[in-house]
Amino acid sequence: MAKISVDGVEFDAKEGENLLQAVLSAQLELPYFCWHPSLGSVGACRQCAVIQYADEEDTQGRLIMACMTPVADGMRVSLEAAHARDFRASVIEWLMENHPHDCPVCEEGGECHLQDMTVMSGHTARRYRGNKRTFENQYLGPFLNHEMNRCITCYRCVRYYQDYAGGTDLQAFGSRARMYFGREEAGVLENPFSGNLVEVCPTGVFTDKPFSKTYTRKWDLQSAPSVCAGCAVGCNTIPSERYGRLKRVHNRYNGSVNGYFLCDRGRYGFGYVNDDARIHKVGVRAADGVFDVISAEEGEEKLGDIVRDGAIGIGSPRASLESNLALKVLVGEENFCTGLSSAEDALMRLILDVYECGGARIPTLAQVEEADAVLILGEDVLNTAPRVALAVRQSVRNESLEMAEQAGIPLWQEAGVRSHGRESASPLLVASLLPTELDELATHTCNGAPESLAAAGFAIAHRLNSAYAAGEELDGPTQSFVDDAAAVLSRAKRPLVISGTSLRNDGLIKAAANIAWALKAQGCDAGLLLTAAEANSCGVGMLGGGVDLDTALRAAAAGQALVVLENDVTRRADPDLVASAFSGSTAVAVLDSLENATTESASLVLPAATFAESTGTFVNYEGRAQRFFEVFAATGETAPAWRWLSKAGARAGRNDMHWQHVDQVVEAVASHPRLVGVADAAPNGGHRNAAGNRVPRAPHRYSGRTAMNAGVNIHEPKTQVDEETPLSYSMEGAMGDQPAALTSYVWSPGWNSNQSVFKFQQEVGGAMAGGDPGVRMLDAEPAQVDFAQRYRPLQTPIGAEGDGRFKLLPTHSIFGSEELSGRSQPIAERGPQAFIVLGAAEAARLQVAEGMGVRCPELDATFAVRVEESLAEGLAVVAMGLGGLGDEVPSERVTLEPDPEFVPPTTLIARG
Amino acid sequence: MWSQLRSLGTVFKHLFTRVETVQYPEEMPYLAPRYRGRIVLTRDPDGDERCVACNLCAVACPVDCIALQKTEREDGRWYPEFFRINFSRCIMCGMCEEACPTYAIQLTPDFELCEYDRNNMVYEKEHLLIDGVGKYPDYSFWHVAGKAIDGKDKGEAQKEKPPVDVRSNLP
């Protein structure tokens, strides 16, 4: 700790940290643009100028840039000195010379860092009388608007996009006052983390395009803390509502999980909440096959009738723990199925088994960024758990950070660290089915079928510690990958092994566990990250079910009643089995938010609330329970699924389900021994701050309250009272001292933009004040087991059978593979067409080439062909969730034939 | 006694002073153009809606009686999909007019806002929008702003240079 004197007042600061960060951590106000906690300092904007004095006698001082100056003990600086203030005012005046008169029609207005800094610097009147420089804009795809006139040349966009996210198609062009930030030519921004530019850009050059279509100012948005439902990473989000529609999703800082950034699936994948296919009423199928609308009471009664004499319950990895628990209690453990496909369910059990052995640390995303060697075994993380890929990308920088440290370069000195580190990178080894986007960073890659990747994994563990059994013989390239991986990982201090469920192969998970355990036994701090598919896959896995999905469906086919919770089972089980279950079951009750193939076949449909209209808990890949809060009240008869289920339980004469309040359900969840931590994931409904206030969902300048509803009724409705959570449905209450799990929006006086998040952190870029939200539930002490003998390689046949048919393997697309986000318009627009990947030899045999089409009669689907040299014969890889496919590939081999009538879609996406 | 006589005298004197009472409604008083009465939405000199749905009037309104929703036209102009003022709440303070960056919202000298049914005090956009420029005949926001719309491309607004050719480094 160093002591620094700022304008005569002493503050504690970290020695070596940059002065700007120290000043902001001390909650002082100093304007800045180009610095960002995750992007470091480059000293480009000259906005954070302060005066530094040599000693007590020095009254003149000299002007320095706070972001480029390391803190030293006894340092004397002034933010308020007239010279520093004048300098900052001049800088902002120069920056504003060419700034267009756009604020009223700019989506950044009201949460604009440039507006805030202009006000903070005291620049109020324009003195420049010359003409303004202008630029042409570019079309950048369905996610972002581009408005280059507003640029202040801080370079944050390219530094984020290229250096942090690894994008290549956004560059800085031109020189002098004509700097241009854009693509070489107009077109879709390719990087799947491009949406963060909305929050990274301090002004309105990059703005949220879907949000702009029905734009609302930040001060008019009603928001609540939430958790992304897009994948198993569980990034913290702030979804916002106005006029009953979900308008946008912004990042909610969590120092342990997502930090400052989200992926584009998370940011733009919420559109289904506003979809026309939303179910709002209770429907019961009449004799003629059409749904009749019935009242909520009748619906409860009917659901009660269905479950009274016992029913099979199918839960869901995309429903909250609370709803899954309600179903589990309603139908009983022996009739409850997690809703994961049978294959995935087995893998989830395996993952929990691995984690509960406690053999290796389960890393948070922040810890992934700190790993100094990473092995990815089989999982295409960019497409299945995207935010993990962004964290892995940062881990590769650790080598250059270490070099910088040795050379005495402060780590925030971005340009210095990068030029000193140059090509050096921490090792990243990627073993995957197909080449992945992370391969460009990898020191060694290896492609193969899941079984051979698993064999490679077992071989690595064996090389690290011969007590771990090796698998079958490996071919040359794989053997060299194994040798390299073993050498690299055993040298590392914080190695990390990543795998997951997406290839539906247990060998990969076992091999990953063996490697991590073998590394741990060598004494290093090994991490093991196993991803699942959906937001609550891990949660339902921990809740556990008595039967798997196929067994449940067979029981339904044999005449059991069926209750399906927020789950399109047609995506997860064999279509014939699902069809026989629906036709054989006495009654099929479905609770869901959107119409889908399962609700089509139901006899009773009940409208369930989405994440935005309900409060509940998701458990992410690391076993972190995180609460999401209702953003706005559901309309009509829509209710959280647990409420329907508990009411139906009460109607069916159950005495243990009289839950009125979500906290009661949370308590019931927490009574499960594995899920005790759920109760502490966020404060319960009774929480109030020190002054006895709730946390407001709406900012204090929320407008239009006496007119919003006046078109319907001049008499203003009573403000809705929130019975469930510590948040209020208005601006009443107070922000500031709430626990981080209740941060419904970030704002601080003078800081209207999301940069104000530092006011809620312990130190800039650190944990949230009061600790990062969420409770980790899977951290276990190493169990007394023989780790080396726990998982043994299996001998599985690899290769073609020579009958000309194909074994299908799954791959995923960040856009389109996930069920709900795939139904959001911008995501659907960005997603690829259904595709199939064939080996070069097989493509030649079928006489198809890249871009042509093949048909699969068994799946009744057509795919665009992609050819991948390395793919073995007899294998074909299809993208899940696209072109009518669900989340599972058929286990039987299928035939493929060229489709001469296939018309490739035009690649041009509609402009505008 | 004296005080009563004085009162009579004062009253008598007023018989010869100018009458301030106006015979409203037969006789209308003069109200200055800047009088703060009924609110209207005005149009550009070229006849298009001035309001760009920026929401500043709504946020400036101390009684929160303005609600609107932004949407966008084919030609790139922003405009309100709906614009509602609840005059039963309005206090005619004029803060919305002061906040308006496009001179769209203006207060007029019309103060006759009486209704038997409170519901009729709710004015939607079709009730607010007039066919004129109001107090500011020449102002057209879109010709000052940097955002391009059909008919006014980049570099064609007031005080703008032609767009930079990014592919050239010549001065």
Side-chain angles (χ1 to χ4, degrees), chain A residues 569-590:
Chain A
V569 288
T570 59
R571 285 176 67 102
R572 302 179 202 262
D574 180 55
D576 297 334
L577 180 57
V578 175
S580 70
F582 286 161
S583 59
S585 178
T586 50
V588 181
V590 180

PDB file of all heavy atoms in Angstrom, chain A residues 569-590:
ATOM      1  N   VAL A 569     -39.564 -31.488 -25.625  1.00  0.00           N
ATOM      2  CA  VAL A 569     -38.927 -32.813 -25.584  1.00  0.00           C
ATOM      3  C   VAL A 569     -38.626 -33.354 -26.974  1.00  0.00           C
ATOM      4  O   VAL A 569     -37.763 -34.211 -27.132  1.00  0.00           O
ATOM      5  CB  VAL A 569     -39.772 -33.845 -24.792  1.00  0.00           C
ATOM      6  CG1 VAL A 569     -39.716 -33.544 -23.317  1.00  0.00           C
ATOM      7  CG2 VAL A 569     -41.188 -33.896 -25.292  1.00  0.00           C
ATOM      8  N   THR A 570     -39.289 -32.809 -27.994  1.00  0.00           N
ATOM      9  CA  THR A 570     -38.995 -33.300 -29.343  1.00  0.00           C
ATOM     10  C   THR A 570     -37.555 -32.989 -29.733  1.00  0.00           C
ATOM     11  O   THR A 570     -37.004 -33.609 -30.636  1.00  0.00           O
ATOM     12  CB  THR A 570     -39.932 -32.654 -30.385  1.00  0.00           C
ATOM     13  OG1 THR A 570     -39.757 -31.241 -30.337  1.00  0.00           O
ATOM     14  CG2 THR A 570     -41.383 -32.987 -30.101  1.00  0.00           C
ATOM     15  N   ARG A 571     -36.951 -32.010 -29.063  1.00  0.00           N
ATOM     16  CA  ARG A 571     -35.548 -31.686 -29.352  1.00  0.00           C
ATOM     17  C   ARG A 571     -34.585 -32.657 -28.684  1.00  0.00           C
ATOM     18  O   ARG A 571     -33.414 -32.680 -28.996  1.00  0.00           O
ATOM     19  CB  ARG A 571     -35.212 -30.273 -28.859  1.00  0.00           C
ATOM     20  CG  ARG A 571     -35.771 -29.165 -29.714  1.00  0.00           C
ATOM     21  CD  ARG A 571     -35.460 -27.822 -29.081  1.00  0.00           C
ATOM     22  NE  ARG A 571     -34.036 -27.529 -29.087  1.00  0.00           N
ATOM     23  CZ  ARG A 571     -33.449 -26.695 -29.941  1.00  0.00           C
ATOM     24  NH1 ARG A 571     -34.149 -26.072 -30.860  1.00  0.00           N
ATOM     25  NH2 ARG A 571     -32.156 -26.472 -29.871  1.00  0.00           N
ATOM     26  N   ARG A 572     -35.062 -33.410 -27.698  1.00  0.00           N
ATOM     27  CA  ARG A 572     -34.111 -34.135 -26.852  1.00  0.00           C
ATOM     28  C   ARG A 572     -34.271 -35.646 -26.882  1.00  0.00           C
ATOM     29  O   ARG A 572     -33.521 -36.353 -26.221  1.00  0.00           O
ATOM     30  CB  ARG A 572     -34.269 -33.683 -25.399  1.00  0.00           C
ATOM     31  CG  ARG A 572     -34.055 -32.207 -25.221  1.00  0.00           C
ATOM     32  CD  ARG A 572     -34.249 -31.850 -23.773  1.00  0.00           C
ATOM     33  NE  ARG A 572     -34.567 -30.457 -23.626  1.00  0.00           N
ATOM     34  CZ  ARG A 572     -33.666 -29.527 -23.322  1.00  0.00           C
ATOM     35  NH1 ARG A 572     -32.425 -29.866 -23.123  1.00  0.00           N
ATOM     36  NH2 ARG A 572     -34.025 -28.270 -23.207  1.00  0.00           N
ATOM     37  N   ALA A 573     -35.287 -36.135 -27.561  1.00  0.00           N
ATOM     38  CA  ALA A 573     -35.469 -37.583 -27.577  1.00  0.00           C
ATOM     39  C   ALA A 573     -35.836 -38.027 -28.986  1.00  0.00           C
ATOM     40  O   ALA A 573     -36.173 -37.204 -29.836  1.00  0.00           O
ATOM     41  CB  ALA A 573     -36.548 -37.988 -26.584  1.00  0.00           C
ATOM     42  N   ASP A 574     -35.763 -39.309 -29.191  1.00  0.00           N
ATOM     43  CA  ASP A 574     -36.094 -39.890 -30.481  1.00  0.00           C
ATOM     44  C   ASP A 574     -37.534 -39.511 -30.867  1.00  0.00           C
ATOM     45  O   ASP A 574     -38.456 -39.695 -30.072  1.00  0.00           O
ATOM     46  CB  ASP A 574     -35.961 -41.417 -30.348  1.00  0.00           C
ATOM     47  CG  ASP A 574     -36.287 -42.094 -31.654  1.00  0.00           C
ATOM     48  OD1 ASP A 574     -35.663 -41.728 -32.649  1.00  0.00           O
ATOM     49  OD2 ASP A 574     -37.174 -42.968 -31.663  1.00  0.00           O
ATOM     50  N   PRO A 575     -37.744 -38.971 -32.058  1.00  0.00           N
ATOM     51  CA  PRO A 575     -39.088 -38.499 -32.441  1.00  0.00           C
ATOM     52  C   PRO A 575     -40.169 -39.580 -32.316  1.00  0.00           C
ATOM     53  O   PRO A 575     -41.303 -39.281 -31.901  1.00  0.00           O
ATOM     54  CB  PRO A 575     -38.922 -38.064 -33.889  1.00  0.00           C
ATOM     55  CG  PRO A 575     -37.473 -37.945 -34.128  1.00  0.00           C
ATOM     56  CD  PRO A 575     -36.749 -38.737 -33.113  1.00  0.00           C
ATOM     57  N   ASP A 576     -39.808 -40.826 -32.656  1.00  0.00           N
ATOM     58  CA  ASP A 576     -40.816 -41.893 -32.576  1.00  0.00           C
ATOM     59  C   ASP A 576     -41.222 -42.129 -31.126  1.00  0.00           C
ATOM     60  O   ASP A 576     -42.396 -42.336 -30.815  1.00  0.00           O
ATOM     61  CB  ASP A 576     -40.262 -43.190 -33.169  1.00  0.00           C
ATOM     62  CG  ASP A 576     -39.950 -43.011 -34.649  1.00  0.00           C
ATOM     63  OD1 ASP A 576     -40.595 -42.137 -35.269  1.00  0.00           O
ATOM     64  OD2 ASP A 576     -39.065 -43.709 -35.167  1.00  0.00           O
ATOM     65  N   LEU A 577     -40.227 -42.088 -30.241  1.00  0.00           N
ATOM     66  CA  LEU A 577     -40.503 -42.300 -28.837  1.00  0.00           C
ATOM     67  C   LEU A 577     -41.394 -41.184 -28.286  1.00  0.00           C
ATOM     68  O   LEU A 577     -42.362 -41.435 -27.560  1.00  0.00           O
ATOM     69  CB  LEU A 577     -39.179 -42.358 -28.059  1.00  0.00           C
ATOM     70  CG  LEU A 577     -39.264 -42.582 -26.559  1.00  0.00           C
ATOM     71  CD1 LEU A 577     -40.013 -43.861 -26.226  1.00  0.00           C
ATOM     72  CD2 LEU A 577     -37.866 -42.624 -25.954  1.00  0.00           C
ATOM     73  N   VAL A 578     -41.073 -39.944 -28.689  1.00  0.00           N
ATOM     74  CA  VAL A 578     -41.880 -38.808 -28.232  1.00  0.00           C
ATOM     75  C   VAL A 578     -43.305 -38.945 -28.742  1.00  0.00           C
ATOM     76  O   VAL A 578     -44.277 -38.762 -27.992  1.00  0.00           O
ATOM     77  CB  VAL A 578     -41.260 -37.477 -28.711  1.00  0.00           C
ATOM     78  CG1 VAL A 578     -42.151 -36.310 -28.354  1.00  0.00           C
ATOM     79  CG2 VAL A 578     -39.878 -37.289 -28.116  1.00  0.00           C
ATOM     80  N   ALA A 579     -43.435 -39.316 -30.024  1.00  0.00           N
ATOM     81  CA  ALA A 579     -44.771 -39.454 -30.603  1.00  0.00           C
ATOM     82  C   ALA A 579     -45.561 -40.533 -29.875  1.00  0.00           C
ATOM     83  O   ALA A 579     -46.754 -40.344 -29.564  1.00  0.00           O
ATOM     84  CB  ALA A 579     -44.653 -39.770 -32.083  1.00  0.00           C
ATOM     85  N   SER A 580     -44.905 -41.640 -29.571  1.00  0.00           N
ATOM     86  CA  SER A 580     -45.641 -42.712 -28.883  1.00  0.00           C
ATOM     87  C   SER A 580     -45.988 -42.290 -27.456  1.00  0.00           C
ATOM     88  O   SER A 580     -47.050 -42.651 -26.938  1.00  0.00           O
ATOM     89  CB  SER A 580     -44.819 -44.013 -28.892  1.00  0.00           C
ATOM     90  OG  SER A 580     -43.701 -43.874 -28.049  1.00  0.00           O
ATOM     91  N   ALA A 581     -45.131 -41.477 -26.830  1.00  0.00           N
ATOM     92  CA  ALA A 581     -45.437 -40.994 -25.482  1.00  0.00           C
ATOM     93  C   ALA A 581     -46.656 -40.083 -25.512  1.00  0.00           C
ATOM     94  O   ALA A 581     -47.551 -40.189 -24.672  1.00  0.00           O
ATOM     95  CB  ALA A 581     -44.235 -40.261 -24.903  1.00  0.00           C
ATOM     96  N   PHE A 582     -46.688 -39.188 -26.505  1.00  0.00           N
ATOM     97  CA  PHE A 582     -47.810 -38.255 -26.580  1.00  0.00           C
ATOM     98  C   PHE A 582     -49.110 -38.976 -26.895  1.00  0.00           C
ATOM     99  O   PHE A 582     -50.176 -38.626 -26.388  1.00  0.00           O
ATOM    100  CB  PHE A 582     -47.547 -37.168 -27.630  1.00  0.00           C
ATOM    101  CG  PHE A 582     -46.539 -36.145 -27.189  1.00  0.00           C
ATOM    102  CD1 PHE A 582     -45.893 -35.341 -28.110  1.00  0.00           C
ATOM    103  CD2 PHE A 582     -46.232 -35.991 -25.848  1.00  0.00           C
ATOM    104  CE1 PHE A 582     -44.965 -34.400 -27.705  1.00  0.00           C
ATOM    105  CE2 PHE A 582     -45.306 -35.057 -25.422  1.00  0.00           C
ATOM    106  CZ  PHE A 582     -44.669 -34.268 -26.362  1.00  0.00           C
ATOM    107  N   SER A 583     -49.043 -39.998 -27.758  1.00  0.00           N
ATOM    108  CA  SER A 583     -50.286 -40.680 -28.113  1.00  0.00           C
ATOM    109  C   SER A 583     -50.688 -41.685 -27.034  1.00  0.00           C
ATOM    110  O   SER A 583     -51.873 -41.889 -26.791  1.00  0.00           O
ATOM    111  CB  SER A 583     -50.145 -41.361 -29.480  1.00  0.00           C
ATOM    112  OG  SER A 583     -49.083 -42.292 -29.421  1.00  0.00           O
ATOM    113  N   GLY A 584     -49.701 -42.251 -26.340  1.00  0.00           N
ATOM    114  CA  GLY A 584     -50.030 -43.265 -25.348  1.00  0.00           C
ATOM    115  C   GLY A 584     -50.417 -42.701 -24.002  1.00  0.00           C
ATOM    116  O   GLY A 584     -51.136 -43.335 -23.220  1.00  0.00           O
ATOM    117  N   SER A 585     -49.963 -41.479 -23.721  1.00  0.00           N
ATOM    118  CA  SER A 585     -50.215 -40.896 -22.407  1.00  0.00           C
ATOM    119  C   SER A 585     -51.689 -40.522 -22.247  1.00  0.00           C
ATOM    120  O   SER A 585     -52.340 -40.119 -23.207  1.00  0.00           O
ATOM    121  CB  SER A 585     -49.333 -39.660 -22.255  1.00  0.00           C
ATOM    122  OG  SER A 585     -49.587 -39.052 -21.027  1.00  0.00           O
ATOM    123  N   THR A 586     -52.199 -40.668 -21.030  1.00  0.00           N
ATOM    124  CA  THR A 586     -53.609 -40.324 -20.800  1.00  0.00           C
ATOM    125  C   THR A 586     -53.838 -38.833 -20.912  1.00  0.00           C
ATOM    126  O   THR A 586     -54.895 -38.386 -21.348  1.00  0.00           O
ATOM    127  CB  THR A 586     -54.048 -40.802 -19.406  1.00  0.00           C
ATOM    128  OG1 THR A 586     -53.078 -40.348 -18.458  1.00  0.00           O
ATOM    129  CG2 THR A 586     -54.164 -42.301 -19.349  1.00  0.00           C
ATOM    130  N   ALA A 587     -52.857 -38.050 -20.481  1.00  0.00           N
ATOM    131  CA  ALA A 587     -52.981 -36.601 -20.588  1.00  0.00           C
ATOM    132  C   ALA A 587     -51.577 -36.013 -20.609  1.00  0.00           C
ATOM    133  O   ALA A 587     -50.702 -36.466 -19.881  1.00  0.00           O
ATOM    134  CB  ALA A 587     -53.757 -36.037 -19.406  1.00  0.00           C
ATOM    135  N   VAL A 588     -51.380 -35.019 -21.452  1.00  0.00           N
ATOM    136  CA  VAL A 588     -50.077 -34.361 -21.506  1.00  0.00           C
ATOM    137  C   VAL A 588     -50.274 -32.885 -21.162  1.00  0.00           C
ATOM    138  O   VAL A 588     -50.881 -32.135 -21.920  1.00  0.00           O
ATOM    139  CB  VAL A 588     -49.438 -34.486 -22.909  1.00  0.00           C
ATOM    140  CG1 VAL A 588     -48.079 -33.807 -22.929  1.00  0.00           C
ATOM    141  CG2 VAL A 588     -49.310 -35.934 -23.323  1.00  0.00           C
ATOM    142  N   ALA A 589     -49.802 -32.510 -19.989  1.00  0.00           N
ATOM    143  CA  ALA A 589     -49.880 -31.098 -19.595  1.00  0.00           C
ATOM    144  C   ALA A 589     -48.517 -30.472 -19.838  1.00  0.00           C
ATOM    145  O   ALA A 589     -47.496 -31.018 -19.454  1.00  0.00           O
ATOM    146  CB  ALA A 589     -50.246 -30.979 -18.127  1.00  0.00           C
ATOM    147  N   VAL A 590     -48.504 -29.324 -20.521  1.00  0.00           N
ATOM    148  CA  VAL A 590     -47.243 -28.654 -20.824  1.00  0.00           C
ATOM    149  C   VAL A 590     -47.283 -27.232 -20.268  1.00  0.00           C
ATOM    150  O   VAL A 590     -48.241 -26.496 -20.501  1.00  0.00           O
ATOM    151  CB  VAL A 590     -46.985 -28.612 -22.347  1.00  0.00           C
ATOM    152  CG1 VAL A 590     -45.677 -27.907 -22.644  1.00  0.00           C
ATOM    153  CG2 VAL A 590     -46.953 -30.012 -22.925  1.00  0.00           C
TER     154      VAL A 590
END
